[in-house]
Amino acid sequence: MTDGAIAADELSAGALRVWLTGHDPVTGEKRGSQRLSADADLLLDATLNHPKSYSIAALLHPELASEFESLQNRLRDQILTTWLNELNARRGHGGLIREDITRIEVVELDHRRSRALDPHAHRHLWLNVKVLGADGKWSNVDSRVAMKLHTLINAEGDLAARTDPQWLASLARHGFTLDDDGEVAELASVVRPLSRRSAQIEVNRARLIAEWSAEHDGTSPSIRVLTQIDRRAWAMSRPNKPAHLDELSWEATVRGELASLDARLAVDRAPVPLVSTPLHALDLDLLAHAAVVDADERSTRTGGRFSSFDLRAGATRALARSGVVAPRDALIATIDAIAEKAHGTCVRLMTDADLPGQVKAFMATETVRLKIHLAGSLDALASPGRSLLPQELRRSAAFPEDVDQLDPSQLAAAGAIAGAGGLVTVTGPAGAGKTTMLRVAFAALRSQHRQMLVVAPTRKAASVASREVGAEASSLHALLADHGYRWTVDAAGAEAWTRLSVGESDRDTGAIYAGPSRFVLRRGDRIVVDEAGMVDLQTEAALVGLAIEQQVGVAMVGDPCQALPVGHAGAMASAVRCATASVELGTVHRFSDPEYAALTLRLREPRDRDDALTIAGELLERGHVQRASGAEEARAAMVAAYFEWHARGKRVALVSGTNSEADAINDAIQQRRVDEGELDSTVLALGMGEQRLLVGDTVQTRRNDPRTGVENRAQWVVLGIRDDRITLVSASDSGEMRGVSREYAFEHVQLAYASTVHGIQGETTDAAVVGPDVDAAGLYVGLTRGRHHNTAITVARTDEEATAQLGATMMRGTTELTLQDAIRAAHAELRRAAREREVQASAPWITPSASPSHGGRPL
């Protein structure tokens, strides 16, 4: 694409290799300076990946296939235009001058099927990092801008799928409509069964690749061999299918499967009217609010900060969901208007007039108010009061030996919780022995006729605390709900806590709220928040408000270095800043190897990059790192680790960075257990995503159910499957047994041989293995689950590369607690960004004294 004009050509395999290395694919001429390091990016990949139901519709009707191709063509052209207009190269000292681009080159790869050979039409756009600047020089694209622009690229896909008039009209002619999720409503019921079969194929594929590699001295299969493996894996999960796959037989096979899933799909549907919302009828203020909500929800890992790119993406997604049907060109002015209104309602963290689109320098007004309000509430809660002394704890202890077991930091923590300070925080590493400490604090509070209520972000964590400590326990949400708080969503999608007054009707149930009944608080009681690092800012603000109102104290017990909350983070760290008493637990008690225990303390918070590399080197030297040549080998290693420890009768935690990777590992382990005769596949139930659940499987329940006593994220072993009931026994306590219905299992039970960091936090096992795709919290939590051994798997060719990767993973970002933190972070990001030549030539980093008339409310 040059100066807005798109031209197309084809590349041979040889020309593609030349092009990838930064040379002209025709002449071989070098384009700018070459970056030949092993980790240098050669291209950036964007995927045109529409809902799977679109591909199914295209397979059912030739006209829809043609229109779907056209839809993808129009979306591709829009993405190329966005890249050319928004991306830049860098010039000058340190690359601080922005250079506009006049030419980009993109290779398009068109696929009709998924790797599992199911209908899934998608395209890859490979953007070469070599771009032509307006000054006539070839150089590398600014990759920071490209990565942060990706949210807008994804939003363009949503907009095209939901508003393109040609595509939607063709769907309507065949009787199809879109549902609220953007799927073809009449085809949504067959998507999950096809996806389930795809998951089975993925398991077969992984096993076949591992077998092939074992037979060929550990080498990786070629593209030709992988193609053969793909087809064999597909055939294994679809018996009596053609041995030699061609287009016609593939289409006939999948159409037959679709007809078997829903016979109505074999019959033409009557046309339906195409309903559209007129542009002039849109509520632009509501859409602008939705755009801010969208950007804010995606900003939880940057302290609530977002960029102009993020806001424009939010505006685009909001318009996509509005019901408008119109050509893309007709929507430009509306998107501009929504984005302009959205900017005007946000707080701008700096006054610089020349603000690059990727710099996250905006914050939602509600998030700013939340941070200010929470800081003030924490200060108000933190009333002074003394902690109990060790001898006072010993006098009140039910078992004096409990007090004798505590180290000095644990004694200080128990004394603070049992003391009179309004706000107490206890932070510490994994395995620091908080249970005995809380038991001593509970006894001391009870001796003062004060109640200790333990709450946690999940009911599972609260139940564990209740059993081990003896105090009454609840999920944090249940406590708030008992006191009238309700989690609500407004028309723009914004979520917030609201509160019922006594005598007010609950709009969800219609019941009249009569006040708290389960968790009645008295002045001087202590609410202990366990796993407090997972509490988000909104929930913390509601809890602190309740504590001030009821005149009770709060103790936040947790570790901000472990898994973060789903919403805005920083509640635990903010409480530490304001606390009456703040205690850091300093001794790790979990591990059988005291030297490894000391190493985990350093792993938790490396001082800097060099320290992180030193720690990674020690992990490698001590045998806690395993290298893999690729993702498939890493997955196979995790599966092998399960069977190694399972054969010893030990529990092992397998920690993955994504749910999809955990699902693949779970399916692989289950299938191997079936193949080896450990599990009987003839008696089964279906779980989430239509996973097979077999007697003997390790599973996890994903929703609290007070009727049966199961809790979200609790782990179980399937003990029995009958017509109407599935019997579960606790994975950690053979005496704890529950029964759930098949309906509950279908919606809320999943395999749990492997899980993400949120699923495993709070567990203690014999061993743990961490996959290569985790973040800093996942690495730390994963490497601190096993009492006796913990291993991190990394995809690397050498020990040096493995060390570098682990060191980089450890370097977590700093949590931005205050608005001052956010402003500093935004200015630091601006200093790293390339800017226009005119700005560089004048005062480089002096921000103007007044903000522009638009673009957000200044601080």
Side-chain angles (χ1 to χ4, degrees), residues 761-836:
Q761 179 157 327
E763 295 283 340
T764 301
T765 58
D766 297 294
V769 182
V770 188
D773 52 352
V774 296
D775 59 9
L779 181 66
Y780 172 65
V781 171
L783 287 178
T784 54
R785 297 306 95 193
R787 296 185 187 91
H788 306 302
H789 193 72
N790 299 273
T791 301
I793 298 177
T794 181
V795 176
R797 293 166 295 181
T798 65
D799 287 349
E800 292 75 16
E801 187 177 339
T803 301
Q805 288 187 14
L806 287 175
T809 300
M810 290 179 209
M811 296 307 295
R812 68 184 76 243
T814 302
T815 304
E816 298 165 21
L817 302 179
T818 67
L819 291 178
Q820 289 70 31
D821 294 337
I823 291 170
R824 282 192 292 270
H827 276 286
E829 193 175 336
L830 179 62
R831 286 193 294 273
R832 293 192 298 267
R835 306 174 77 189
E836 300 295 340

Side-chain angles (χ1 to χ4, degrees), residues 179-328:
D179 62 19
D180 291 340
D181 295 325
E183 289 276 9
V184 178
E186 295 75 14
L187 299 176
S189 63
V190 299
V191 169
R192 289 212 316 183
L194 281 181
S195 298
R196 169 59 187 153
R197 296 181 188 186
S198 297
Q200 292 174 331
I201 293 167
E202 288 294 327
V203 174
N204 294 335
R205 184 179 188 274
R207 188 166 72 251
L208 291 171
I209 289 174
E211 291 173 356
W212 191 95
S213 296
E215 293 171 0
H216 295 80
D217 299 323
T219 59
S220 297
S222 65
I223 293 177
R224 180 180 62 82
V225 173
L226 282 174
T227 300
Q228 295 172 349
I229 288 175
D230 286 346
R231 294 184 177 187
R232 184 180 171 196
W234 185 78
M236 288 169 64
S237 290
R238 290 172 164 84
N240 304 318
K241 301 303 186 261
H244 302 288
L245 188 71
D246 57 37
E247 287 297 316
L248 293 179
S249 65
W250 173 77
E251 290 181 4
T253 297
V254 178
R255 287 195 190 101
E257 289 187 357
L258 291 170
S260 69
L261 293 169
D262 187 345
R264 293 171 296 178
L265 299 182
V267 181
D268 288 338
R269 304 177 64 89
V272 295
L274 177 59
V275 179
S276 172
T277 302
L279 282 172
H280 64 79
L282 293 175
D283 184 341
L284 296 185
D285 290 328
L286 178 61
L287 294 178
H289 182 26
V292 175
V293 170
D294 184 273
D296 181 65
E297 288 179 347
R298 296 168 190 270
S299 71
T300 55
R301 295 300 173 262
T302 53
R305 293 183 297 113
F306 46 79
S307 68
S308 291
F309 284 168
D310 299 324
L311 274 178
R312 188 167 185 84
T316 304
R317 276 187 280 265
L319 184 59
R321 295 189 294 267
S322 69
V324 162
V325 177
R328 178 63 179 78

Side-chain angles (χ1 to χ4, degrees), residues 393-406 411 440:
L393 294 173
R394 185 171 286 104
R395 283 197 298 269
S396 60
F399 303 98
E401 59 269 22
D402 281 350
V403 180
D404 297 334
Q405 292 176 14
L406 300 184
L411 280 171
V440 169

Side-chain angles (χ1 to χ4, degrees), residues 407-410 428-434 584-590 597 601:
D407 62 44
S409 64
Q410 289 174 305
K434 68 182 179 186
E584 175 80 17
L585 300 179
T587 304
V588 177
H589 301 273
R590 171 175 295 166
L601 289 174

Side-chain angles (χ1 to χ4, degrees), residues 553-751:
V554 171
M556 302 283 287
V557 181
D559 184 2
C561 294
Q562 296 190 42
L564 295 174
V566 175
H568 286 296
M572 180 73 189
S574 296
V576 170
R577 283 192 175 186
C578 301
T580 309
S582 182
V583 181
E584 175 80 17
L585 300 179
T587 304
V588 177
H589 301 273
R590 171 175 295 166
F591 308 108
S592 57
D593 180 356
E595 291 184 3
Y596 183 73
L599 183 57
T600 64
L601 289 174
R602 295 164 53 205
L603 170 65
R604 179 171 175 257
E605 287 187 288
R607 293 188 304 273
D608 50 33
R609 180 177 177 275
D610 289 340
D611 189 36
L613 291 174
T614 300
I615 296 166
E618 291 184 34
L619 287 169
L620 181 69
E621 183 180 348
R622 293 176 57 85
H624 297 286
V625 179
Q626 180 177 345
R627 288 194 285 110
S629 61
E632 298 280 4
E633 185 178 318
R635 184 184 299 171
M638 296 186 75
V639 172
Y642 168 82
F643 285 95
E644 176 188 346
W645 288 95
H646 179 60
R648 303 182 194 177
K650 304 293 186 181
R651 285 187 67 202
V652 57
L654 304 179
V655 185
S656 174
T658 64
N659 286 317
S660 60
E661 180 62 18
D663 287 343
I665 296 169
N666 286 326
D667 286 338
I669 291 174
Q670 184 194 60
Q671 186 60 50
R672 180 169 161 183
R673 294 189 72 193
V674 170
D675 294 342
E676 295 181 357
E678 287 189 22
L679 302 177
D680 179 4
S681 62
T682 62
V683 179
L684 59 87
L686 290 181
M688 296 170 60
E690 298 195 355
Q691 283 184 328
R692 288 184 305 177
L693 305 179
L694 308 176
V695 174
D697 268 330
T698 298
V699 299
Q700 188 176 73
T701 46
R702 291 305 313 276
R703 183 175 181 178
N704 295 331
D705 187 352
R707 295 172 300 175
T708 59
V710 299
E711 294 154 350
N712 182 29
R713 297 200 181 279
Q715 289 202 350
W716 311 85
V717 175
V718 179
L719 189 62
I721 298 176
R722 296 186 177 181
D723 291 341
D724 59 347
R725 181 181 175 87
I726 300 170
T727 305
L728 307 174
V729 61
S730 171
S732 57
D733 182 358
S734 59
E736 184 179 355
M737 196 176 299
R738 299 287 186 272
V740 298
S741 67
R742 284 180 177 264
E743 290 75 16
Y744 176 90
F746 186 76
E747 295 293 336
H748 309 300
V749 177
Q750 64 185 25
L751 293 176

Side-chain angles (χ1 to χ4, degrees), residues 309-379:
F309 284 168
D310 299 324
L311 274 178
R312 188 167 185 84
T316 304
R317 276 187 280 265
L319 184 59
R321 295 189 294 267
S322 69
V324 162
V325 177
R328 178 63 179 78
D329 290 346
L331 300 177
I332 296 175
T334 305
I335 294 173
D336 289 344
I338 297 170
E340 183 73 14
K341 284 179 173 289
H343 276 91
T345 63
C346 296
V347 171
R348 184 170 175 144
L349 300 175
M350 58 180 65
T351 56
D352 198 302
D354 173 57
L355 195 59
Q358 79 275 11
V359 174
K360 296 183 182 295
F362 297 90
M363 189 175 288
T365 303
E366 287 305 313
T367 300
V368 172
R369 289 173 179 163
L370 173 64
K371 293 194 173 201
I372 294 173
H373 170 73
L374 179 58
S377 297
L378 288 169
D379 278 335

